[in-house]
Short mmCIF file of all heavy atoms in Angstrom, two decimals:
data_model
loop_
_atom_site.label_atom_id
_atom_site.label_comp_id
_atom_site.label_asym_id
_atom_site.label_seq_id
_atom_site.Cartn_x
_atom_site.Cartn_y
_atom_site.Cartn_z
N HIS A 13 -9.57 -40.76 69.92
CA HIS A 13 -10.48 -41.89 69.99
C HIS A 13 -11.89 -41.41 69.57
O HIS A 13 -12.58 -42.05 68.79
CB HIS A 13 -10.53 -42.41 71.39
CG HIS A 13 -11.39 -43.67 71.52
ND1 HIS A 13 -11.87 -44.17 72.71
CD2 HIS A 13 -11.80 -44.56 70.57
CE1 HIS A 13 -12.52 -45.24 72.51
NE2 HIS A 13 -12.59 -45.55 71.26
N GLN A 14 -12.37 -40.22 70.06
CA GLN A 14 -13.66 -39.71 69.77
C GLN A 14 -13.69 -39.41 68.21
O GLN A 14 -14.72 -39.67 67.59
CB GLN A 14 -13.91 -38.45 70.50
CG GLN A 14 -15.31 -37.93 70.42
CD GLN A 14 -15.65 -36.91 71.46
OE1 GLN A 14 -15.35 -37.09 72.58
NE2 GLN A 14 -16.20 -35.74 71.04
N ALA A 15 -12.65 -38.86 67.67
CA ALA A 15 -12.58 -38.59 66.19
C ALA A 15 -12.66 -39.86 65.45
O ALA A 15 -13.38 -39.90 64.37
CB ALA A 15 -11.31 -37.86 65.93
N LEU A 16 -12.06 -40.90 65.84
CA LEU A 16 -12.03 -42.19 65.18
C LEU A 16 -13.46 -42.70 65.12
O LEU A 16 -13.93 -43.31 64.12
CB LEU A 16 -11.04 -43.13 65.80
CG LEU A 16 -11.06 -44.58 65.16
CD1 LEU A 16 -10.48 -44.50 63.79
CD2 LEU A 16 -10.15 -45.48 65.98
N LEU A 17 -14.21 -42.54 66.14
CA LEU A 17 -15.61 -43.12 66.26
C LEU A 17 -16.45 -42.47 65.21
O LEU A 17 -17.50 -42.93 64.80
CB LEU A 17 -16.09 -42.99 67.69
CG LEU A 17 -15.41 -43.85 68.74
CD1 LEU A 17 -15.95 -43.60 70.06
CD2 LEU A 17 -15.50 -45.31 68.41
N THR A 18 -16.12 -41.17 64.83
CA THR A 18 -16.98 -40.44 63.80
C THR A 18 -16.66 -40.93 62.40
O THR A 18 -17.33 -40.76 61.44
CB THR A 18 -16.67 -38.99 63.87
OG1 THR A 18 -15.39 -38.67 63.39
CG2 THR A 18 -16.91 -38.43 65.27
N LEU A 19 -15.47 -41.69 62.34
CA LEU A 19 -14.95 -42.12 61.02
C LEU A 19 -15.33 -43.56 60.77
O LEU A 19 -15.67 -43.93 59.59
CB LEU A 19 -13.47 -41.91 60.93
CG LEU A 19 -12.73 -42.12 59.62
CD1 LEU A 19 -13.22 -41.06 58.62
CD2 LEU A 19 -11.22 -42.05 59.76
N THR A 20 -15.25 -44.38 61.78
CA THR A 20 -15.47 -45.85 61.51
C THR A 20 -15.75 -46.53 62.84
O THR A 20 -15.32 -46.00 63.94
CB THR A 20 -14.22 -46.55 60.93
OG1 THR A 20 -14.43 -47.94 60.72
CG2 THR A 20 -12.98 -46.28 61.71
N ASP A 21 -16.41 -47.67 62.83
CA ASP A 21 -16.66 -48.50 63.97
C ASP A 21 -15.82 -49.79 63.92
O ASP A 21 -16.13 -50.75 64.68
CB ASP A 21 -18.10 -48.76 64.25
CG ASP A 21 -18.77 -49.51 63.08
OD1 ASP A 21 -18.03 -49.80 62.07
OD2 ASP A 21 -19.98 -49.76 63.14
N ALA A 22 -14.86 -49.82 63.03
CA ALA A 22 -14.03 -50.98 62.86
C ALA A 22 -13.14 -51.22 64.10
O ALA A 22 -12.92 -50.28 64.91
CB ALA A 22 -13.09 -50.80 61.67
N GLU A 23 -12.58 -52.44 64.22
CA GLU A 23 -11.77 -52.76 65.42
C GLU A 23 -10.55 -51.83 65.38
O GLU A 23 -9.94 -51.54 64.39
CB GLU A 23 -11.33 -54.16 65.29
CG GLU A 23 -10.52 -54.70 66.48
CD GLU A 23 -10.07 -56.10 66.38
OE1 GLU A 23 -10.36 -56.71 65.30
OE2 GLU A 23 -9.40 -56.63 67.28
N SER A 24 -10.19 -51.31 66.63
CA SER A 24 -9.12 -50.38 66.74
C SER A 24 -8.34 -50.62 67.96
O SER A 24 -8.79 -51.30 68.95
CB SER A 24 -9.68 -48.93 66.78
OG SER A 24 -10.55 -48.69 67.88
#
Side-chain angles (χ1 to χ4, degrees):
H13 186 198
Q14 187 166 315
L16 180 64
L17 294 176
T18 70
L19 190 65
T20 179
D21 57 0
E23 184 180 2
S24 62

